[in-house]
Amino acid sequence: MTPTSGRSLLLVHAHPDDESIGNGATMARYAAEGARVTLVTCTLGEGGEVIPPELARLTADRDDTLGAHRIGELTAAMREVGVTDVRFLGGPGRYRDSGMMGVPDNDVPGCFWRADVDEAAGHLVAVVREVRPQVLVTYDENGGYGHPDHIQAHRVAMRAHELAADPAYRPELGPAWRIAKVYWNRMPRSVIERGLAETAAAAPFPGTAGPADVPGVVDDAAVTTVLDGAAYAGRKAAAMAAHSTQITMAGAFFALSNDLGQPLIATEYYQLVRGQAGPRLPEDDLFAGLGAADHAADPGDAADPTATDRPVEESAR
Ligand SMILES: [Zn+2]
């Protein structure tokens, strides 16, 4: 879909599938509303496990072709939510999946965990200055749940947010761009506890996940923004199903390769960490409170920044 609203949303994720689980409904909504939605995924998820037995040979310890396969899954998933601008940080395969914290893959040269943050952020600055997002979505400083690639995605995204706005930083990557709002993915504790209790009762899988298995869980009060994804629940489920090496769907529930059931939650939650919140909390829109200057489609269109400072009386007279 051609962007028509002047809104631009950038999401930075670690592996293919994180975007659909965390933001599938959000992406579907903004794509449907005509926003430009850009996904940057930092690795191909080469180190992941594989659920379908017939694809078991793809794993890193056998054919090591899972990365290429997951590019296909991600492409199919994004088709389900209407997102066409999908990129891999530095190009496909530039940074390799580092595996869970503490495994030998953490030390493999070329893995994302070993990447120089400033160098990796440079690739993202180029994207930021090209697509000029008003909103950036990524993980908290613990990567949501401690996975090295998620922690590194956080560091790279936050560093790129800073560098992209600095006119002295690599002007050859395009004019400086300040992203107005930055959000971290969140899951309110009360919501996930209720959802996991429902999962345990329905028992669609041999076991049930715990709150520690779910990324971004925080006290409810930390959540600033709630996106009601009911209208896009089907799109989100279809996007998740496209990641079939990673996710098993079962109605209102799903499981990763650990076979522990989790609830499929279409409402998506965020914490605003940079920028000004909209007039009402919790926000129901990531773009809430943004003005014309933040939405400039290109630098030439930017409104006179002094115009917004004009006294109210002038128009009231
Ligand atoms: Zn991940």
Side-chain angles (χ1 to χ4, degrees):
M1 182 179 294
T2 310
T4 51
S5 68
R7 291 172 160 198
S8 175
L9 168 64
L10 173 64
L11 303 103
V12 177
H13 276 288
H15 312 109
D17 80 354
D18 295 317
E19 78 300 321
S20 297
I21 299 168
N23 313 107
T26 301
M27 288 190 289
R29 168 183 160 178
Y30 286 112
E33 289 181 3
R36 174 171 198 157
V37 180
T38 302
L39 170 67
V40 174
T41 303
C42 297
T43 78
L44 302 182
E46 298 94 331
E49 295 183 52
V50 168
I51 296 172
E54 67 276 16
L55 295 175
R57 60 173 174 75
L58 298 177
T59 55
D61 56 347
R62 293 178 69 182
D63 292 358
D64 196 14
T65 49
L66 183 56
H69 186 85
R70 292 184 74 175
I71 293 176
E73 291 184 341
L74 182 58
T75 305
M78 293 301 89
R79 200 176 299 129
E80 297 291 351
V81 292
V83 171
T84 53
D85 189 5
V86 180
R87 307 162 188 224
F88 290 95
L89 188 68
R94 173 68 182 79
Y95 298 106
R96 190 175 167 94
D97 189 331
S98 314
M100 300 299 270
M101 190 63 90
V103 305
D105 279 0
N106 295 176
D107 300 317
V108 170
C111 82
F112 192 43
W113 185 233
R114 292 268 154 241
D116 178 80
V117 170
D118 278 5
E119 193 248 279
H123 298 301
L124 192 55
V125 169
V127 177
V128 169
R129 289 182 177 176
E130 178 197 334
V131 306
R132 299 183 181 115
Q134 295 87 26
V135 176
L136 168 67
V137 170
T138 190
Y139 314 113
D140 67 21
E141 69 282 357
N142 189 38
Y145 72 120
H147 190 298
D149 292 329
H150 287 239
I151 294 171
Q152 190 77 318
H154 158 86
R155 292 176 180 164
V156 168
M158 299 307 284
R159 184 72 177 132
H161 168 253
E162 205 175 288
L163 293 173
D166 178 0
Y169 177 78
R170 297 182 63 185
E172 77 276 11
L173 297 180
W177 181 256
R178 187 187 60 85
I179 304 170
K181 298 172 92 176
V182 179
Y183 291 93
W184 293 343
N185 291 301
R186 289 307 190 194
M187 175 63 75
R189 199 176 311 280
S190 71
V191 173
I192 195 62
E193 283 176 351
R194 191 174 341 124
L196 290 171
E198 287 164 11
T199 310
F205 293 98
T208 302
D213 299 312
V214 177
V217 176
V218 284
D219 291 339
D220 295 16
V223 171
T224 59
T225 310
V226 180
L227 262 72
D228 178 356
Y232 301 99
R235 300 287 88 206
K236 175 171 182 165
M240 288 172 63
H243 292 286
S244 58
T245 60
Q246 306 301 308
I247 303 175
T248 308
M249 307 298 292
F253 308 97
F254 72 97
L256 304 176
S257 61
N258 57 17
D259 234 9
L260 299 176
Q262 296 188 37
L264 175 56
I265 299 174
T267 297
E268 293 169 349
Y269 302 87
Y270 300 91
Q271 179 179 9
L272 179 69
V273 295
R274 298 283 187 281
Q276 206 59 44
R280 275 182 311 279
L281 284 178
E283 298 176 313
D284 59 6
D285 176 6
L286 298 175
F287 294 85
L290 293 178
D294 301 303
H295 285 259
D298 70 66
D301 291 349
D304 174 1
T306 59
T308 54
D309 298 332
R310 202 175 292 145
V312 181
E313 309 88 81
E314 194 170 303
S315 51
R317 225 173 266 152

